[in-house]
């Protein structure tokens, strides 16, 4: 009964389907049973200038920050928790050991830091030496050309999970050698789009992903709108939940997606019990109003949403600053987050 209080069915879909049907297919959540306001603390990091600190992960007393719009390197490694610089890596450039772009990275161990370069269609593995203060490139994986362009990934014991770019599937299973093994799922839209719209649909539904090998939960959250998908790879189930923002809204023009609804989620982390997500929620009309006033709109999300692994909303945190990437430590009940609107790139707060 408790779940029924917070996961509600709304009678009108956020987007009316092309065949005239407006009946919702997926459940909606309308509110969170627990809402809290949280103050953040800035962490000072010396000797490094960040332009757009985007992602952060901590493992084995090492932290890695990804800088999306950097001048020289995409990644920077530090000791943790004192944040002493170790070495940058992922040099920006066109050389054979340089990166044209960086979409996401995964920190598995000191000798297994994986980074995705969509422009090169390549995943690379890096190893950190704390004593020598170096990060070396030890492996390169060229992705199957049938993937066209890969924007998010997660490494598992059996291969890579990579989101689909063309809109025909939801994600792909790819071998550790980069070969396409299987196409899986479809975009869970409640609107019946024509086939030619699918590339624009995929752009609108571009999602951030998280995976936890302990419980087999592979979760996705949309960058536009407010849609959460949960694949339980152990039980072979798939749950979809919409929030008040509904599914991504867009106009198609020349095969491209033009957003018309709201900005959605910024990052996601799946733990053994929960799914943590950063949420924005600002409409594109509100963003345009900032530009019309000659101002820059806020960068990042002001909210941290917590769901259980079935998609039931558990808690909503409202922060005093906007954030992008998160690292959740449930042992210390702490969140580390990146921020582009402060002089320091890292924020920390208690949950």
């Amino acid at each position: 009964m408790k779940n029924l209080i917070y996961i509600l069915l709304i009678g009108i879909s956020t987007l009316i389907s092309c065949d005239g049907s407006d009946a919702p297919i997926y459940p909606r959540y309308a509110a969170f049973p627990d809402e809290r306001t949280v103050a953040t603390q800035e962490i000072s990091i010396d000797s490094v200038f960040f332009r757009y600190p985007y992602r952060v992960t901590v493992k084995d007393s090492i932290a890695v920050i990804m800088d999306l719009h950097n001048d020289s390197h995409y990644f920077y490694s530090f000791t943790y928790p004192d944040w002493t610089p170790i070495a940058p890596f992922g040099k920006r450039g066109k050389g054979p050991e340089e990166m044209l772009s960086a979409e996401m990275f995964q920190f598995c161990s000191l000798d297994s830091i994986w980074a995705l370069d969509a422009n090169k269609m390549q995943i690379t593995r890096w190893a950190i030496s704390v004593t020598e203060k170096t990060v070396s490139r030890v492996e390169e994986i060229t992705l199957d050309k049938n993937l066209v362009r890969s924007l998010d990934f997660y490494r598992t014991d059996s291969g890579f999970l990579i989101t689909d770019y063309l809109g025909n599937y939801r994600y792909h299973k790819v071998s550790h050698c980069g070969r396409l093994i299987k196409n899986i799922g479809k975009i869970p839209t409640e609107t019946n789009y024509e086939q030619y719209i699918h590339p624009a649909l995929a752009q609108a539904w571009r999602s951030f992903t998280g995976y936890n090998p302990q419980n087999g939960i592979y979760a996705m959250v949309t960058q536009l709108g407010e849609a959460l998908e949960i694949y339980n790879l152990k039980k072979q189930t798939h749950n979809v939940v919409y929030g008040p923002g509904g599914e991504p809204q867009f106009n198609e023009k020349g095969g491209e997606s033009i957003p018309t609804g709201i900005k959605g989620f910024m990052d996601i982390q799946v733990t053994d019990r929960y799914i943590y997500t950063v949420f924005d929620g600002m409409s594109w009309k509100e963003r345009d109003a900032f530009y019309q006033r000659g101002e820059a709109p806020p960068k990042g999300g002001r909210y941290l949403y917590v769901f259980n692994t079935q998609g039931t909303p558990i808690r909503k945190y409202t922060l005093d600053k906007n954030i992008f990437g998160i690292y959740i430590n449930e042992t210390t009940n702490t969140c580390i987050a990146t921020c582009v609107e402060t002089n320091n790139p890292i924020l920390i707060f208690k949950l």
Side-chain angles (χ1 to χ4, degrees), residues 13-14 26 38 66 112 117 204 214 219-220 281 298 302 308-309 325:
S13 173
T14 54
Y26 304 110
V38 177
M66 174 181 167
S112 187
D117 185 336
Q214 300 303 316
M220 301 182 179
R302 186 61 65 97
N308 68 14
T309 54

Side-chain angles (χ1 to χ4, degrees), residues 18 32 67 159 187 259 265 301 315 343:
C18 296
F32 287 78
D67 190 356
I187 294 174
F265 296 94
R315 185 173 298 122
N343 292 328

